[in-house]
Amino acid sequence: MLFITTGTALASTQALEEAQKAIQQLFGKIKDIKDKAEKSEQMVKEITRDIKQLDHAKRHLTTSITTLNHLHMLAGGVDSLEAMTRRRQYGEVANLLQGVMNVLEHFHKYMGIPQIRQLSERVKAAQTELGQQILADFEEAFPSQGTKRPGGPSNVLRDACLVANILDPRIKQEIIKKFIKQHLSEYLVLFQENQDVAWLDKIDRRYAWIKRQLVDYEEKYGRMFPREWCMAERIAVEFCHVTRTELAKIMRTRAKEIEVKLLLFAIQRTTNFEGFLAKRFSGCTLTDGSLQKKLESPPPSTNPFLEDEPAPETEELATEKGDLDQPKKPKAPDNPFHGIVSKCFEPHLYVYIESQDKNLGELIDRFVADFKAQGPPKPNTDEGGAVLPSCADLFVYYKKCMVQCSQLSTGEPMIALTTIFQKYLREYAWKILSGNLPKTTTSSGGLTISSLLKEKEGSEAAKFTLEELCLICGILSTAEYCLATTQQLEEKLKEKVDVSLIERINLTGEMDTFSTVISSSIQLLVQDLDAACDPALTAMSKMQWQNVEHVGDQSPYVTSVILHIKQNVPIIRDNLASTRKYFTQFCIKFANSFIPKFITHLFKCKPISMVGAEQLLLDTHSLKMVLLDLPSIGSQVVRKAPASYTKIVVKGMTRAEMILKVVMAPHEPLVVFVDNYIKLLTDCNTETFQKILDMKGLKRSEQSSMLELLRQRLPAPPSGAESSGSLSLTAPTPEQESSRIRKLEKLIKKRL
């Protein structure tokens, strides 16, 4: 066993030594490979070193040959350039000069060499000489003083323009400036300030002269100047600048002689000429970017102010509501020449504004006179309360003024015109609308003895006639149309005016004025119907309710109220068919006026017997049903009343019914009676409670204890659980009283 263990250890040691020797041999081989690789790399470098030297030599040789070639071309080109310049061979110079300049760019880094620098200076000198020579040739051909050279343009000058394209841009600008100045010299003489043709009435002659000159230019010089110079357009633009300056000067001198017709004539002819320029030229030479305006696509039109310069026959239709949904054409591109001459008229547009002020004043006076002569429009329920014709005429005239003024100026004159618009919108609202509203003949306090007498005699209370009701509705519809159109007018004015002036356009005050007219019209309609119902309510409060012996059909005063409602409401509804929301407002305002008044008269009915209270409850329920049906009363088409109106009627008339139910309840025991009052009337207070006690006919001595009890009970009102229970009087009242109330309710349901 010991022998075997010793043998194994010796074998392991021997194997380890052999492994170490193998590793040493491997490292030796790796080192040999690395040495050989380094020697190979060094050998490759020695082999390629000569090749790299040859590559550098080749590159330098190529560059040298190219440079020498360019130098030869430059030297020869400069010599030829100087020779051709002396011989005025501009056609060859144009091609050669561009090549020389291109070659010279290759020598920028060699400018330190004297010979290269000398050639560069010779090129610059040749350019300077060319520029001076070409300017001299143009001066000779088109002298600043005297007439044009009869020989006309030549090929030499045409080639000279090609050379000028390559030279300093100032040479080209000088040629253009001198040519245009010489071309317009005759114009400055013919249309001097002291000449008769210089005044506005002969402004056509200015534009006729330049049109002839443009034709003459195209025939004689059209091929002389390069097309990209746009010489014809430059001549026209310079003519416009000169004309604007001259017109501004002469108008300042003779400002007192400017009349509206003359000013508009001159502006019209000028804008026509600017339109002619826009058709013929692109406007590429204009430097004033403010003349270019972004295109805008207009929103759908709702009135004349959202049209884009329609034909005259379509302008009249713009105010008719049947055409409001028609889509409008998008705007045509704006004229880049707009205002290039007509800008000079802007300081004198106050004459135009004053004229429009006068014209609008006369228009309003004519509207007033026509209304007095023709009277109010005839009642025609089929049309549903059409707007007054004068309204359409006014806004069509406004539209024409706005379009015309925006063509003249979008600056301060537009603000001045807006002020004029505001002035006559207010005058229209006052003189035509408010001024023609019918006047009430009696006030609410005037319906006393005479009204009661008329009611007793079977006559109707004084109220508006059918024509007056239709007039009020027509004025309301007109004011509503004016309100909407004024809002669109404000938006259109803000589109037309300069961006910096938008905040100064505000027609809110005028819109408020029309809103006031609408409110006044609705209030008149409410007052009229309210006043017609007053005698009936007064008759109700004068009746001897303690003497009523049995419950019958509805009382005569209810019939009278329903009669007045059926007479007025259908007329108002039909005439406000186009403005339904204002009819709803009328209904709401009438309910808010009539119901509190009815409750006030209800408190005056005292003392009341049990049967009298039952009759009043029946009458109240009848009135409640009529009021709920008020918006569609007398109409063949039954519409559901607006929820806002129904809520008001239900709340108000339910309060009246609860008051009567409290009156019907026995006042003993006191605690039960007081608790029922608190449950039935959510807005309970001592004042209302005392009025109910008066209606019951209780003496003051009895009332005092009941009022004291109420004060004690009010601080601790019933909880939510209690108040959510039934509000009927059956639980707290005796069986007999409960039976009477149920009997009354059945009677009401049976009758309905």
Side-chain angles (χ1 to χ4, degrees), residues 1 30 42 53 140 296 300 369 429 437 451 484 497 629 681 704 712 738:
M1 189 67 176
I30 291 172
Q42 186 65 28
Q53 288 177 352
E140 183 181 353
E296 299 176 0
L437 284 173
S451 297
V497 79
D629 191 44
L681 294 176
S704 58
Q712 294 174 3
S738 173

Side-chain angles (χ1 to χ4, degrees), residues 24-41:
Q24 288 176 358
Q25 290 174 2
L26 179 61
F27 276 124
K29 290 179 180 180
I30 291 172
K31 185 177 181 182
D32 291 342
I33 293 171
K34 183 177 179 183
D35 292 340
K36 290 178 181 180
E38 290 177 353
K39 290 178 181 178
S40 299
E41 184 180 0

Side-chain angles (χ1 to χ4, degrees), residues 427-444:
E427 286 207 11
Y428 186 84
W430 295 333
K431 293 183 178 180
I432 308 299
L433 301 182
S434 295
N436 287 311
L437 284 173
K439 304 296 186 292
T440 52
T441 54
T442 57
S443 62
S444 58

Side-chain angles (χ1 to χ4, degrees), residues 394-660:
L394 178 68
F395 283 110
V396 167
Y397 190 85
Y398 269 22
K399 194 253 180 179
K400 291 178 180 178
C401 291
M402 182 183 66
V403 171
Q404 191 175 42
C405 187
S406 65
Q407 292 173 348
L408 307 181
S409 170
T410 56
E412 287 294 335
M414 282 291 286
I415 300 299
L417 185 67
T418 302
T419 304
I420 299 299
F421 284 174
Q422 290 175 298
K423 173 183 176 183
Y424 288 102
L425 283 174
R426 291 192 298 268
E427 286 207 11
Y428 186 84
W430 295 333
K431 293 183 178 180
I432 308 299
L433 301 182
S434 295
N436 287 311
L437 284 173
K439 304 296 186 292
T440 52
T441 54
T442 57
S443 62
S444 58
L447 297 171
T448 53
I449 300 176
S450 60
S451 297
L452 288 174
L453 289 174
K454 288 182 179 180
E455 186 71 18
K456 288 179 180 179
E457 294 169 3
S459 303
E460 295 184 358
K463 62 177 189 176
F464 293 137
T465 62
L466 172 63
E467 290 76 11
E468 288 175 329
L469 287 176
C470 292
L471 174 60
I472 295 172
C473 294
I475 289 175
L476 192 154
S477 300
T478 304
E480 188 266 343
Y481 178 78
C482 289
L483 175 62
T485 312
T486 301
Q487 184 177 0
Q488 300 297 335
L489 170 63
E490 181 183 55
E491 294 173 1
K492 197 64 178 177
L493 286 169
K494 287 182 177 180
E495 289 180 16
K496 297 283 187 183
V497 79
D498 291 340
V499 177
S500 59
L501 301 176
I502 287 179
E503 293 183 356
R504 293 175 60 184
I505 293 180
N506 186 358
L507 303 184
T508 306
E510 289 63 43
M511 288 186 272
D512 290 344
T513 301
F514 288 118
S515 297
T516 302
V517 174
I518 292 172
S519 299
S520 300
S521 302
I522 294 174
Q523 193 60 36
L524 273 179
L525 295 173
V526 171
Q527 287 178 358
D528 178 57
L529 183 54
D530 216 13
C533 297
D534 274 348
L537 296 180
T538 305
M540 176 189 79
S541 63
K542 297 295 183 181
M543 285 181 64
Q544 302 297 322
W545 292 102
Q546 74 274 20
N547 297 331
V548 177
E549 297 178 354
H550 62 274
V551 177
D553 202 352
Q554 63 187 23
S555 302
Y557 75 88
V558 176
T559 305
S560 177
V561 170
I562 296 175
L563 176 64
H564 290 305
I565 290 176
K566 287 184 176 180
Q567 286 177 344
N568 280 31
V569 174
I571 297 172
I572 296 171
R573 181 183 58 242
D574 293 341
N575 280 277
L576 295 182
S578 58
T579 55
R580 187 75 187 177
K581 63 178 180 179
Y582 292 116
F583 174 68
T584 303
Q585 284 188 24
F586 159 76
C587 293
I588 291 173
K589 287 191 176 183
F590 174 71
N592 281 327
S593 174
F594 175 80
I595 294 175
K597 187 179 292 187
F598 172 75
I599 292 175
T600 301
H601 282 77
L602 198 61
F603 283 131
K604 296 180 181 179
C605 299
K606 55 187 179 180
I608 303 177
S609 65
M610 183 63 63
V611 178
E614 292 176 358
Q615 180 64 52
L616 272 174
L617 185 59
L618 176 65
D619 295 341
T620 302
H621 189 78
S622 299
L623 286 175
K624 179 180 178 180
M625 292 298 104
V626 171
L627 290 176
L628 287 174
D629 191 44
L630 180 73
S632 59
I633 195 168
S635 174
Q636 295 178 353
V637 180
V638 179
R639 285 188 182 180
K640 186 178 179 181
S644 57
Y645 170 77
T646 303
K647 183 178 179 181
I648 292 171
V649 173
V650 169
K651 182 180 179 181
M653 295 306 290
T654 300
R655 182 171 185 268
E657 290 175 340
M658 293 302 105
I659 290 171
L660 290 171

